[in-house]
Amino acid sequence: MLLLKRSEPNELLAWIRNKFDSSKIVLTTSFGLEGCILIDMCSRTDLQIRVADIDTDFLFPETHALREEMTQRYPNLAFESWKPDLSPDQQAQKYGEALWSREPNKCCNLRKVIPMENHIGDFQVWMTAIRKEQSTHRANIEIMQWDWQYSLLKACPLAHWERQQVWQYVQDHNVPHNKLHYEGYPSIGCTHCTQRVPGVTSPAQYSRDGRWQSQEKTECGLHWSKASDSSQL
C-alpha cells in the first residue's frame, strides 16, 4: 500500500484493474472537469467499468448535454444515472417548496446521498475525482482509503493533483467538459445551489465559493465521514 500512496493515477487505475472484477468497480461523477479526465483515464487504461452520475432532476442543461457527449466518446464504459426516490413534485408535496433554500442538507440527502446508498452496495471499489486542494474538508483524503460511510474501498486517483494539472490534461487529450466552466462556474452542481464565482475567468481556476452561497455548507454529503471513521491505506 505504500507503493499506492506514491502512484500516479494511471498506475493506480492499472492496479485496480488487475485486483478487482470490473463489475464491482464504479466511478461516480457530476461531470466536473476532474470527473471528465478520470473517465478519460479509465478508458485509456481499459477499465471497462460503470460510470454513474446522480441525476437530481435539478442539473443544468449543459451537464445533460455533456453526459450525452461523454457516452458517445467512451463507448467502452457503461454510463448510468441514479435517481432520487422522489420526483421534484413529490418532494415539494412532502417537504414544501424550495427545500434546498430552507434545509439544503435535507435536500442533498434526499436527492444525492440516498440514491448513492441505494446503489453503491453493489460494488467493492468506488472511484471519485475529488482532490485534496479543493477544500479543507477534502485535505486529508488519500488515493486509496476505506470509506466507512458506504463500507467499501474508495479510490481518489487525482487526490494529489492541482487544478492546473487537470486543465492541462483536458487540453492535451481534448477531453469533453462542461461549457459552464467558461462562464465563471469552476464547480457545478444543481441549478438552485450553484452560482458564478466572480473573478473566475478560466477552467484552470477552482473554487467552491459558488456552491450553496449564503449557506453554512460546503459539501453535499456524498464524501462526508467522521474523522474517527477515516482509515487510509
Side-chain angles (χ1 to χ4, degrees):
M1 284 303 181
L2 291 176
L3 176 62
L4 291 181
K5 288 187 176 183
R6 298 191 296 269
S7 297
E8 290 298 315
N10 286 340
E11 294 175 324
L12 177 63
L13 295 178
W15 182 85
I16 291 172
R17 181 195 62 207
N18 293 330
K19 290 290 184 180
F20 297 92
D21 185 327
S22 62
S23 67
K24 295 298 182 180
I25 307 168
V26 65
L27 163 60
T28 65
T29 181
S30 59
F31 296 106
L33 208 61
E34 288 81 2
C36 290
I37 75 164
L38 187 53
I39 289 170
D40 185 84
M41 288 176 176
C42 287
S43 179
R44 292 174 184 274
T45 314
D46 198 29
L47 260 171
Q48 299 181 8
I49 60 172
R50 277 187 271 182
V51 177
D53 64 281
I54 299 178
D55 186 351
T56 64
D57 295 309
F58 297 133
L59 301 181
F60 286 90
E62 291 87 349
T63 303
H64 285 292
L66 174 59
R67 183 190 188 281
E68 181 59 29
E69 185 177 0
M70 297 294 277
T71 61
Q72 298 299 318
R73 172 72 176 265
Y74 304 103
N76 59 323
L77 302 177
F79 288 80
E80 59 187 57
S81 292
W82 298 345
K83 299 278 288 185
D85 294 330
L86 300 176
S87 70
D89 287 343
Q90 289 171 330
Q91 178 172 300
Q93 291 171 5
K94 186 170 183 178
Y95 296 100
E97 295 288 344
L99 180 63
W100 55 85
S101 66
R102 296 178 288 103
E103 296 183 74
N105 286 335
K106 178 173 285 188
C107 189
C108 283
N109 189 63
L110 291 169
R111 311 213 71 77
K112 292 186 177 184
V113 178
I114 291 177
M116 179 78 161
E117 292 173 344
N118 287 343
H119 292 87
I120 200 68
D122 295 334
F123 303 96
Q124 295 175 342
V125 180
W126 168 33
M127 289 201 294
T128 174
I130 62 174
R131 299 181 295 109
K132 283 176 172 287
E133 71 165 10
Q134 287 177 324
S135 68
T136 55
H137 175 86
R138 300 178 181 185
N140 292 324
I141 64 169
E142 290 298 342
I143 64 172
M144 182 71 81
Q145 62 193 70
W146 181 259
D147 188 281
W148 290 96
Q149 184 175 3
Y150 304 114
S151 298
L152 79 174
L153 284 175
K154 182 178 183 179
C156 308
L158 304 179
H160 298 278
W161 276 38
E162 298 180 354
R163 180 69 165 204
Q164 185 59 50
Q165 290 177 274
V166 174
W167 178 232
Q168 189 62 53
Y169 186 99
V170 169
Q171 296 175 91
D172 290 346
H173 298 282
N174 192 30
V175 178
H177 52 285
N178 201 314
K179 302 302 184 287
L180 292 175
H181 289 310
Y182 297 95
E183 300 178 20
Y185 292 89
S187 174
I188 303 165
C190 295
T191 55
H192 304 300
C193 303
T194 309
Q195 298 183 31
R196 291 181 174 87
V197 178
V200 173
T201 59
S202 165
Q205 298 169 270
Y206 187 84
S207 170
R208 291 187 70 78
D209 291 346
R211 305 292 295 277
W212 304 286
Q213 287 187 355
S214 303
Q215 302 278 356
E216 293 183 1
K217 179 177 173 65
T218 60
E219 296 283 344
C220 65
L222 291 176
H223 299 285
W224 179 90
S225 63
K226 295 179 181 178
S228 60
D229 286 343
S230 179
S231 179
Q232 299 174 3
L233 300 179

